[in-house]
């Protein structure tokens, strides 16, 4: 099992606001995403980061992802 930080956005959060982080232990990124979906079924998954640092996951999301600015 590896540690993942899944970034998700509840429906009330604006696209320009930082997503929330869900830390979990999972077999792979798909498994981590599934765990977050189970915990927050109404949220949108926006990024999956292997590691346990929320700040590193957010930094990667803001610099690498194709979110709408």
């Amino acid at each position: 099992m590896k540690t993942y930080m899944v970034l998700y956005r509840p429906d009330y959060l604006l696209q320009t606001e930082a997503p929330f982080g869900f830390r979990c232990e999972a077999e792979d990124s798909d498994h981590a995403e599934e765990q977050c979906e189970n915990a927050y079924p109404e949220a949108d998954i926006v990024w999956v980061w292997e590691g346990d640092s929320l700040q590193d996951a957010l930094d990667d999301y803001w610099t690498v992802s194709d979110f709408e600015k």
Side-chain angles (χ1 to χ4, degrees), residues 1-5 23-29 31-32 35 49-51:
M1 298 285 247
K2 299 177 184 175
T3 303
Y4 288 90
M5 186 63 66
R23 185 184 177 280
C24 65
E25 298 293 318
E27 296 171 3
D28 56 25
S29 61
H31 184 216
Q35 288 183 51
W49 170 265
E50 186 178 332

Side-chain angles (χ1 to χ4, degrees), residues 10-65:
D11 59 0
Y12 61 83
L13 203 63
L14 299 175
Q15 286 279 31
T16 55
E17 293 182 271
F20 296 151
F22 175 82
R23 185 184 177 280
C24 65
E25 298 293 318
E27 296 171 3
D28 56 25
S29 61
D30 289 335
H31 184 216
E33 188 172 331
E34 181 181 330
Q35 288 183 51
C36 187
E37 288 171 342
N38 289 338
Y40 302 100
E42 300 297 320
D44 291 325
I45 307 299
V46 296
W47 203 249
V48 179
W49 170 265
E50 186 178 332
D52 63 354
S53 169
L54 175 59
Q55 189 59 57
D56 287 347
L58 287 169
D59 289 347
D60 193 57
Y61 171 71
W62 291 120
T63 57
V64 177
S65 74

